[in-house]
Structures are given as structure tokens and as C-alpha cells.
Amino acid sequence: MKSNLRSIGETATRFGLDTHVLRHWESVGLLQPERDSADRRLYSDDDLVRIAVILRSKAAGMSLDQIAVLVGDDHGPKRHKVLQEHITDLDRRMKDMERSREMAVHAFECKAHDITACPHFRETVQDVLDGNRNWSIEI
């Protein structure tokens, strides 16, 4: 069965992207769309899947270099290393998000109008205030 082929404009619109994004991804080797006789890019169903992988991976915090390893054919062992590092990073960020959510929920429910004056909140950060622990957050 022949794949449907789409123009760069149609493909970009489908994903809410500017066409220059698809051209950039092609220039760094993430995409290799077919070309018609006038050298216009034509995106297949497989290309659409690849674009979805790129977008989902970017949303998860992966760099284009990491994504290139993920979708590349010749990166077997390196692929596992990149994915393990990414999973570790996701786990760390998820813990940070959970702590942030807990603080927001507490601030929402707290009787103190200023969370910095809340005794319970101060208890949750006392180890950092005392210098016994560092928070490793990216700002």
C-alpha cells in the first residue's frame, strides 16, 4: 500500500509547526522526506510518525542530539545510554514537580496567607535552611 504524501505546508500545519522547523530538522538529519520532480519535500505517513516522536521527545525534555540517537538506525548501544540518562532526568524532574505540587496544594489550603510564615511549610524546608541539604533544581 502506497503511503499518502503531503507537502511541507500541510505537514507543518498538521502539527502546528512553522515550515522552517521541518527544514531545520531535516538539516540536522532527523527527517529525510521524499522529493518530487521540482525538488519539493513530500512527507509520508512514516515521516509523520517520526515528527510525532520528535515532538513528544522534545516535550519530554530531550535535545535534538538525543532525539537523533533515539531515531537513528546506527545508534544501538548509545541509544540505551541516552534513554537511561533521560529516564533518570525524568525521574528527578517528576520528584521536583511532585514537591512543587505539594507546596502549591498546601499553600492553597493553608490558613496562613503568606506561605513563608506557615509553620508546616517551614518544617518541610528546615533541612535546607539549616544547611543540611541542598536542593538541586534548575532555574
Side-chain angles (χ1 to χ4, degrees):
M1 182 172 151
K2 182 133 171 84
S3 172
N4 293 322
L5 297 176
R6 294 155 199 87
S7 70
I8 190 170
E10 182 182 348
T11 302
T13 298
R14 179 173 290 208
F15 289 99
L17 300 169
D18 291 328
T19 55
H20 72 86
V21 174
L22 297 176
R23 286 187 198 97
H24 175 68
W25 291 349
E26 182 181 355
S27 74
V28 297
L30 294 176
L31 294 173
Q32 297 172 348
E34 293 180 34
R35 300 287 181 139
D36 67 11
S37 60
D39 204 35
R40 290 180 295 237
R41 293 164 178 86
L42 296 173
Y43 294 86
S44 68
D45 293 343
D46 288 343
D47 292 320
L48 297 185
V49 171
R50 196 172 185 94
I51 292 166
V53 169
I54 295 166
L55 288 170
R56 176 58 27 221
S57 298
K58 284 185 60 56
M62 292 183 88
S63 70
L64 292 182
D65 288 339
Q66 290 172 310
I67 295 167
V69 172
L70 178 65
V71 299
D73 293 332
D74 59 341
H75 298 305
K78 190 174 180 184
R79 179 179 173 272
H80 286 103
K81 181 180 185 292
V82 164
L83 286 170
Q84 184 57 56
E85 290 169 355
H86 183 62
I87 290 167
T88 299
D89 182 56
L90 285 173
D91 289 343
R92 180 194 56 78
R93 290 189 303 157
M94 288 170 59
K95 287 177 187 174
D96 287 344
M97 292 294 293
E98 183 59 33
R99 284 193 295 266
S100 295
R101 184 183 188 288
E102 289 170 5
M103 183 184 79
V105 168
H106 179 75
F108 179 76
E109 296 171 347
C110 187
K111 302 282 187 241
H113 292 287
D114 177 359
I115 194 167
T116 63
C118 172
H120 176 72
F121 177 73
R122 285 181 171 260
E123 286 174 17
T124 66
V125 297
Q126 194 61 49
D127 55 346
V128 175
L129 299 175
D130 290 342
N132 297 327
R133 185 169 68 110
N134 291 328
W135 279 350
S136 59
I137 59 171
E138 295 178 20
I139 299 177

